[in-house]
Structures are given as C-alpha cells and as structure tokens.
Amino acid sequence: MDAILVALDVLTTPTIIVVVIIGVTWGIFGGAMPGISPPIAMALLLPFTYTMDPASALILLTATYIAAEYGGSIPAILIRTPGTSAAAATLIEGYEMQRRGKGGEALGIALVASVIGAVFGLLLVIFLTEPLSRVALAFRPPAYFALGILGLSVIASLSEKSLLKGIIAALIGLMIATIGTDPVSGVVRFAFGYPELLSGVPFVLVMVGLFAVSELFEQLSIPVWEKISATRTKLKLPTWAIQKGLFRANMIGVGIGSFCGLMPGAGGTVSSFLAYNESKRFARDKASFGNGAPEGVAAPESANNCDASVSMIPLLSFGIPASTSAAVLLGGFLIHGLAPGPALFGRNPDLLYSLFTGMLMACIALPFIAFATLKLCVLLVNQPKPYLISFILVLVFSGSYSINNSIFDMSIVLGAGVLGFGMRYFGVPVLPTVLGLVLGYLIEANYRRSLVISRGDHAIFFTDPIAAAFLTIAAVFMVLSIVQAVRQHRKANNRGMPS
Amino acid sequence: MVHSLVGGRYAHAAITAALMLGSSTVAYADAGIDYPHDLVTLVTHSSAGGGGDVFLRDMIGPLSEIMGVEFVVENVVGGSGGAAIAYMAEAPADGSVIYASNPTYIFTSFLSDLDPNYTDLDPIVNVFYDPQVIFARADAPYETLEDAVSAAQEEDMVWAAGAAGALGRMAMEQLKQETGVDAAILTGEGGGETILSVLNGTADIAVGEVLELRSQLEAEEVKLLAVLTQERLAENPDLPTARELGIDVVVEKYRGLAGPAGLPDDVIAAWESAIQQLLEHPEYREMYTAASLEPAYLSNEEFRPFIDDFAASTEDFMISVGIIQE
C-alpha cells in the first residue's frame, strides 16, 4: 500500500517529470554519439545531481542509462556506426534493413524492443531482486568461461558461406583480444611499448572501424554515386502483426539480458551479441539473417536494455556494480549518503519505490522522446551520399578522438577500417571477428582463473554445474552445425553432378 | 576499455567522486603565502569524476583560500597515465603546473617503456593514503590474519587480489612471500569482482579498500582481518596492522603531488605549508574522512625517498612475479 502511495506521489511531482524528460533526452543523444558511452553520459550528469533530492538524482541517472542503451542503436542502424559497443549487434541486421530501404522500420523495432527490455528488466528488479541476487553469486570463473564458449559456438552460423573463413575471422578477433595486460600474470602482451594498449584495445573503436569505416571505403570504391540506393528513410513503428512476430526474439533478448545483467564482467555488449546469436539459432526463417532480419534488431536491443535494468540487482542487493554504468550510478547513491547494499531496502523503502516509479516513467517517456528526436536523425541520413559519407567520417573520427583526446585511438579505428575492408575484399565475414573480440577476454581470463582456483585441474569445468551445462549445450550446437554444414556440402555436390 | 568492463578502478573512482564532491566551498583570496603564480594548473591522468580528478577538485576550494591562488584542473587522460607524464615532462618547472600523483604512473612507467617516465617528475608532498585491508566472509573460520595464514599452511587456499598488474596483487604476493604459504592468487577486474569472489566462496580472503567494502561491512557480510598500513587507522582503531601480527607487509597507496623536475625551493616550501593547513581545514577534513582517506602528510624531504622506495618495491614485485624482466 505504501508503495502505491509513494508511486502516486512521484508520478504527480512536476520536478520528477522534468528530470525524466531531461534524462531520457540526454541519454538518447549521448548514446547516439559514437564517443559517448552510457557511463560517460551518466558521469557527465553527476555534478548536476549534488543539489537535487536523492530520488530525482537517481531517477535522472537511471533515465539516462536506459535511454543511452537505446540511443546507441540509432547510428548503428542508420549509418553503420555503433553509438555504444552494445549496439554493434543491432547494427548487423539493422543496417541491412536500412540498405533495403527499411531503416525506419528497423528504428521502430529497436525502439519497441528497447522499451520491452527495459520494462521487463525493471519488473525483475522490483519483484525478484532477492532471489536473482543469488544467481549472481552462483557464477564462478568456470561458468563465465563456459558462457563465453557457448557464445563462440555460433560462429558456424555467422560464417555466411565458408566455415573456414568464419573460423579465420574469429581467430583474428580472439588475437586482438589478447592485446593488453595478461589477466592472470599481469604481463603486458603485444602492446609494443604503447601505454594506450595496457588495458587492451577498446571494443568500440575496433567495431566502429570494422563496420563503419570499412563500409565507407566500400561505398567510396563504387565509382558512380547514383548507383547507391537513394531510398528515403521514413520512421515507422512496427504494426501489431509484425510486433507479434518478433515476440520470440524479444523474449530471447530479455532472457539473455536478464541473466547477463546480473553478472559482473558480462555486460551489455556480451548480452546483445549472445541475444543476436540465439535469435538467429532459433529463428523460423534463418535465411533472412544477414539480409535485414527484424529479429536480429529486436533481440539485441531487448537484451541490452534488459541488461541495463537488471544490472541494478547486484547494485541494490550487494552494493556491487556489475557494469561501468552501474558504478556511476553507485556514485549517485553515495553522493546522497546512501550505501546501496543489503541494508538499503530496510532503511529507505520509500526511496526505492520512487526510484522504481521514476524508472518506469522513463520507459514510458522513451518512445515519445525517441520518436520526436528520430525525425531529426532521419532527416540527416536522407542527404546525398557524398555529403553523408564525409559527415560520417568526420563524426566517426571526432567521436573516437573525443573518448581520450587521443590520436592513437583514431589510428585504431583507421587500422580496423582497413582490416575490415580487406576482409570484405577476400569474402571473410567480420562478424566472427567481432564475436571473438567481445568474448575473447571473458573466455581467456576465466579459463585461467578457473585453473588458478583448481590448481591446474581441468575437472573444475565439469564439477561446476553451470559450466558443465553450458559446455554441454555448446558441444551439441557445434556438432549439429558441423553435421548441417556437411549435409549442405553434399547436397550442393550432388546437384552439381550431371545426371 | 576491454579490461575494465566491471570498472574496478572506475567504480572506486566514482565512489570517491560521489563522496568527495559532495560539498562545495566558497573561495576567497587570503594571501597568506606569496606563491609565484596567480593561476596554477593541476593536472591529473584520471578522467572527470575519477579518483585523481576528485582528489584535485575537492582541494581547490579550501586550497585557494589558503594559498590565495586560482586553480584549474586539467584532465590529461589516456595511456594509463602515460599521456599525463609526457605532458608534465614538457611543462615549465616553475610551479605553475602541478600533477596529482598516485601509484598508477609508477606502475605504468614499468609496464610500458615510457619515455619520459616517473623519474622525469619530482615528488612534492604526499597528502593521503587509501588504506588496503585484508577481508574474509563474515562466517569464515578465522578471526585474524594470523589464523588465516596458519589455515593456509594446512590447506589450499585462494586469495583474491583485484587486477593482475596492480597494487592489490603486489600486497597479496608480498603476503605470500612473507608467510611462505602456497596460496593461489586469483586476480580479477577489480573491487566489485573481488568482493563477489569472497561472498560466493571462490576466494577465502582478499585485499580491498575500506570504501569499496562499506555496504558489505554494514550488513556484516564480510569482516576485516588486518590493515596493511604502518599504523592503525584512526577510524578503525581495533583493526590490527599486518605488521603488528608479525607479518611485515605494508602497502601504501598514496595520493600526493608532483611537478616537472627542478621545481624551485620556494614553490616546494609553499606547498608543504599549504597542504599541512589543508589537512586541518574543518570542511575538508569532513570530506576526506567520509571517503575513508587517511591523512598522511609527508614533507618533500620524506616524500622523495618514499617514492624511490615505492618504485623500487614495485619493480621488485614485478620482476619477482615475472611481469617484467630485469
């Protein structure tokens, strides 16, 4: 009863409504800018929250968080540039839809999926924080390792035509992931004396290079501008019938997002890629993937938004931030003398109820504000290609420079762009590379941590029940995809033979 | 950043940021000491809201009262401190540009072949320590660090230590060497992950910072076994130091100031006097107490050998565990 009264009070407080609108708007723009990740968008707001009351301050930060996770999908879909690294999975099918003149629909699907993910995650936070916090504790290094392997098991289906090329591409990604400080011994690997590489190659820079810059190179290498499709993009929300068809993808997204959100170290990028993989694995029409499958937009967007909401659970129940964004949020709590953790629920229930209400308001406000701002974005991409390509190049490089004011970061983007263009030229798919990059560190670090704990005994991967389950599933998938590849190969051969 | 997904360092920075930026002071000029510049640039390698950034931004209010100088903070981020060291080495050595120094730039100097490196900067004074503590789950069968060490002599234990190339690892490796036990040292992404590994039983004991542990301590989920400072903490006088327990491990995560090599003596003297006054400033004291920072003023004469010792023990640690070659 208390909760309802607090919620009503919050809903009718004008300052909170203003705070929600500001947070959501800023979040969308922050997420859409290639240089500004959700935690940076939130950190930039922190100084403004000191003078606010605790509820408004936390609602402002969480509204920004939720909206920024969505905002990253806008440039991903429209210009093949992931605004946040979690949006790189949305880009795969989203940009294909845009190329086929369905960019507006892709944006609509991403928006609806984001709202579904955020609301679902929020419901989990409100009703299931206690039991779900135990799930976070159940994940030990072997389980993280197995989760990464499960993610990699999908390489075969991301490989387009040639499994061999897919594996080569994945190895490139895994190799890039080994750059930086060794997770167990602390030895610096492949940094060649550059301090910029001590903490590894930032994901988002490589993704921007592999996807956006290589795409621009590709377009520039086509001599006649008119040949590039000149379809106009119009924003379009999915109809009920389409949305119903996406239900399965949304559910895959929220399912994966909700358990990755609980685990520190997994995070939005891992969950959106896993969601993409699983939505492809369980799609009715697998052939549409790679050609602009709406499911491939819906699943990762639901996942990264659900992940964002659910990452509140370890924060509220242990005071442990499961992501960098959650760490900034933790800062927001502490400014007001509130230590999130086991005691918070007992001590400040009203604050939590108002926070939850505010988050719900942000989810409701998101589609309206997004719809208004998207018009502007759509206008931008409808410009002639030469303008657009130069604009994107400037945006991409200024964005990657702005993260650390670093020329070095710009050369990573350029290097990845050249690599991506070369891979396209030789028909090597870039997706497995991105997957290897995202999962490589998770897999390596946790493989070795597991062996530290077990003192070198590999049995730990089978005695840990979660690890054993994931590894079994991954093995089944791998065997099935090999069988399928062999069958297709035979079929193709048979057809080729003269009868 | 790939390796800071959980944001161990970042998380801590955000917490410190939150606690310390909390109050603001009105600056008024009170020309107590004649400083040779009216405007001083304070440089940090942390981004806005990070540990070093907050350290500087918090002090500039009270400090301009004390020194009669205006301050601006400049964030020279990138390259784990490498960019800031390069910037400082180029800056004029006249007291107009001062650097917030902490162990990061020494670690980075050893981890990558920096040129210039930490030897191109001169230490000025130290201001704080972030105390490192050893903790265990509240229901662990040991009450002191001694108990835990003797348990480790009997059975295989896992000790969690934050990131692989950082100060917490150094503390745990020293503890292992000092006690001669064969514990497995588990490294992770940073604070949050270390705490989870203790809570779920993956690790038996771990090293961390009081601030990160606050909510777990309040809920009595974890307990502190020892602190790795020279002397007991003012805020927690019941907690013994490792040294008192006969385990000679002292790890001091310091926060101080440095400048380009060759600073004039009057500039150093001005900072010595100003920082001593700063630590007594009532409003400032309130801020740093809330952030669990231990005031640890070291004069220039004390701070120089301190940095040399710190760098030497860092190098020893990195060589002994194979992070770098001799």
Side-chain angles (χ1 to χ4, degrees):
Chain A
M1 202 55 213
D2 260 8
I4 297 167
L5 285 178
V6 173
L8 277 177
D9 186 42
V10 168
L11 281 170
T12 49
T13 310
T15 50
I16 299 240
I17 297 170
V18 173
V19 156
V20 165
I21 294 173
I22 293 174
V24 170
T25 313
W26 167 241
I28 293 175
F29 279 106
M33 300 289 233
I36 301 181
S37 58
I40 294 177
M42 293 163 73
L44 290 172
L45 285 180
L46 262 188
F48 297 99
T49 62
Y50 298 125
T51 50
M52 295 181 173
D53 65 277
S56 311
L58 294 173
I59 291 171
L60 177 69
L61 291 172
T62 45
T64 305
Y65 187 11
I66 292 170
E69 288 292 346
Y70 157 74
S73 69
I74 301 172
I77 291 169
L78 292 178
I79 57 177
R80 212 171 195 249
T81 307
T84 59
S85 58
T90 312
L91 167 161
I92 306 160
E93 302 300 327
Y95 184 73
E96 282 303 319
M97 290 182 74
Q98 154 76 356
R99 256 183 17 144
R100 286 167 170 71
K102 289 185 178 168
E105 281 176 66
L107 288 171
I109 289 169
L111 179 57
V112 173
S114 294
V115 174
I116 291 177
V119 172
F120 190 89
L122 186 56
L123 294 177
L124 291 181
V125 177
I126 296 174
F127 297 109
L128 293 173
T129 287
E130 228 290 296
L132 283 177
S133 66
R134 276 184 232 129
V135 177
L137 276 185
F139 272 77
R140 302 172 67 227
Y144 280 101
F145 164 76
L147 179 70
I149 294 293
L150 181 62
L152 272 192
S153 72
V154 82
I155 285 177
S157 68
L158 295 179
S159 300
E160 297 165 21
K161 286 165 201 104
S162 156
L163 182 59
L164 183 65
K165 283 180 178 171
I167 291 173
I168 292 172
L171 286 176
I172 295 174
L174 290 171
M175 279 155 66
I176 298 174
T178 62
I179 295 173
T181 307
D182 178 308
V184 171
S185 75
V187 174
V188 178
R189 306 180 299 195
F190 312 115
F192 306 104
Y194 290 104
E196 287 86 351
L197 292 177
L198 284 183
S199 47
V201 180
F203 286 162
V204 71
L205 297 180
V206 178
M207 290 177 185
V208 164
L210 280 180
F211 289 121
V213 177
S214 74
E215 169 77 9
L216 296 175
F217 288 166
E218 178 100 355
Q219 299 213 5
L220 289 168
S221 67
I222 303 171
V224 185
W225 292 115
E226 279 70 25
K227 281 198 177 162
I228 305 169
S229 84
T231 44
R232 295 190 70 79
T233 301
K234 273 200 197 125
L235 182 61
K236 209 168 137 195
L237 282 183
T239 60
W240 179 241
I242 293 178
Q243 191 52 46
K244 239 167 63 184
L246 294 174
F247 181 72
R248 187 206 295 245
N250 285 136
M251 284 305 110
I252 289 174
V254 295
I256 288 170
S258 44
F259 90 100
C260 286
L262 292 173
M263 296 155 40
T269 312
V270 171
S271 67
S272 53
F273 272 95
L274 290 178
Y276 175 82
N277 290 349
E278 299 315 312
S279 68
K280 182 172 183 181
R281 186 135 54 196
F282 293 105
R284 281 189 203 93
D285 179 14
K286 283 198 184 67
S288 68
F289 271 75
N291 302 311
E295 293 98 321
V297 174
E301 275 307 304
S302 292
N304 64 32
N305 273 83
C306 187
D307 188 297
S309 299
V310 171
S311 66
M312 300 277 293
I313 291 179
L315 182 63
L316 293 175
S317 50
F318 303 118
I320 290 172
S323 66
T324 319
S325 307
V328 180
L329 195 58
L330 174 58
F333 272 96
L334 291 166
I335 285 171
H336 295 282
L338 303 160
L344 188 66
F345 270 102
R347 214 176 296 156
N348 296 73
D350 283 10
L351 176 84
L352 284 177
Y353 296 140
S354 24
L355 174 62
F356 294 156
T357 315
M359 285 171 73
L360 207 55
M361 282 163 71
C363 296
I364 297 165
L366 179 62
F368 294 99
I369 297 172
F371 214 74
T373 50
L374 274 177
K375 290 230 152 79
L376 184 73
C377 305
V378 169
L379 184 77
L380 282 175
V381 290
N382 282 331
Q383 302 308 311
K385 285 278 170 185
Y387 295 170
L388 196 58
I389 289 177
S390 16
F391 170 73
I392 299 170
L393 265 180
V394 171
L395 185 73
V396 162
F397 282 103
S398 53
S400 44
Y401 176 75
S402 70
I403 304 173
N404 286 324
N405 293 342
S406 158
I407 303 284
F408 189 88
D409 287 358
M410 289 168 73
S411 30
I412 294 180
V413 173
L414 190 63
V418 172
L419 175 70
F421 186 65
M423 288 170 72
R424 281 164 174 240
Y425 185 83
F426 291 107
V428 179
V430 296
L431 266 187
T433 305
V434 173
L435 198 66
L437 176 69
V438 171
L439 297 176
Y441 185 77
L442 184 79
I443 291 174
E444 190 210 353
N446 288 295
Y447 172 71
R448 296 181 50 202
R449 281 175 199 149
S450 307
L451 292 183
V452 166
I453 297 168
S454 71
R455 299 185 180 234
D457 185 358
H458 280 79
I460 191 168
F461 298 111
F462 303 101
T463 51
D464 183 294
I466 302 175
F470 279 167
L471 287 175
T472 312
I473 300 171
V476 170
F477 281 140
M478 277 186 226
V479 170
L480 284 182
S481 63
I482 291 170
V483 169
Q484 205 173 13
V486 170
R487 251 192 223 155
Q488 267 171 0
H489 191 72
R490 278 209 194 124
K491 228 190 242 171
N493 278 356
N494 288 343
R495 218 176 287 144
M497 281 200 291
S499 51
Chain B
M1 289 290 177
V2 178
H3 297 183
S4 55
L5 277 173
V6 188
R9 205 175 52 188
Y10 198 101
H12 182 243
I15 299 169
T16 323
L19 283 171
M20 296 192 69
L21 275 172
S23 64
S24 61
T25 39
V26 183
Y28 62 91
D30 167 24
I33 312 152
D34 230 4
Y35 197 73
H37 301 275
D38 295 333
L39 180 71
V40 173
T41 306
L42 299 175
V43 174
T44 168
H45 55 249
S46 334
S47 52
D53 180 66
V54 174
F55 167 68
L56 291 179
R57 282 181 205 274
D58 272 335
M59 67 164 66
I60 57 179
L63 202 57
S64 39
E65 281 178 38
I66 295 166
M67 294 177 78
V69 170
E70 290 296 320
F71 293 100
V72 282
V73 174
E74 194 164 331
N75 304 86
V76 184
V77 295
S80 304
I85 300 175
Y87 181 94
M88 288 308 295
E90 295 286 308
D94 58 2
S96 60
V97 186
I98 301 293
Y99 177 57
S101 90
N102 64 31
T104 303
Y105 82 117
I106 294 183
F107 271 81
T108 304
S109 291
F110 286 115
L111 287 176
S112 56
D113 315 322
L114 282 189
D115 181 36
N117 65 22
Y118 78 96
T119 55
D120 294 282
L121 301 189
D122 266 359
I124 303 175
V125 290
N126 188 49
V127 188
F128 294 118
Y129 293 143
D130 283 359
Q132 308 285 308
V133 290
I134 304 286
F135 65 97
R137 202 156 75 169
D139 59 6
Y142 16 81
E143 294 305 321
T144 65
L145 183 59
E146 278 172 312
D147 292 353
V149 166
S150 45
Q153 273 151 352
E154 302 293 312
E155 51 177 312
D156 288 350
M157 267 176 50
V158 176
W159 294 357
L167 203 62
R169 165 106 185 273
M170 183 161 140
M172 278 313 203
E173 295 284 358
Q174 285 179 3
L175 188 63
K176 198 174 147 180
Q177 268 172 15
E178 191 66 26
T179 56
V181 300
D182 177 32
I185 294 192
L186 179 68
T187 50
E189 307 301 331
E193 200 173 311
T194 308
I195 299 170
L196 270 188
S197 69
V198 167
L199 290 180
N200 72 15
T202 306
D204 301 292
I205 60 170
V207 61
E209 289 173 21
V210 182
L211 189 56
E212 296 169 335
L213 289 166
R214 180 174 290 184
S215 79
Q216 306 303 324
L217 285 170
E218 263 178 38
E220 295 179 1
E221 298 278 348
V222 301
K223 60 186 173 193
L224 301 182
L225 303 182
V227 59
L228 303 179
T229 44
Q230 301 263 14
E231 281 160 33
R232 291 188 178 208
L233 301 178
E235 264 208 87
N236 194 345
D238 295 336
L239 184 67
T241 65
R243 189 172 265 182
E244 283 171 45
L245 301 172
I247 302 166
D248 190 20
V249 177
V250 175
V251 174
E252 274 154 345
K253 183 172 173 189
Y254 67 91
R255 284 181 190 280
L257 300 172
L263 285 179
D265 290 344
D266 62 325
V267 165
I268 288 176
W271 279 103
E272 285 184 326
S273 139
I275 293 297
Q276 290 181 68
Q277 291 177 53
L278 177 71
L279 288 171
E280 297 301 317
H281 194 285
E283 216 167 296
Y284 190 64
R285 179 190 285 273
E286 203 179 298
M287 274 193 261
Y288 68 70
T289 314
S292 303
L293 290 168
E294 281 281 302
Y297 171 75
L298 294 179
S299 69
N300 186 254
E301 206 178 305
E302 296 161 317
F303 194 38
R304 279 173 193 273
F306 173 89
I307 292 289
D308 289 341
D309 286 351
F310 189 90
S313 61
T314 302
E315 193 177 13
D316 283 350
F317 148 68
M318 287 189 179
I319 292 171
S320 72
V321 302
I323 294 181
I324 54 172
Q325 316 288 306
E326 252 172 289

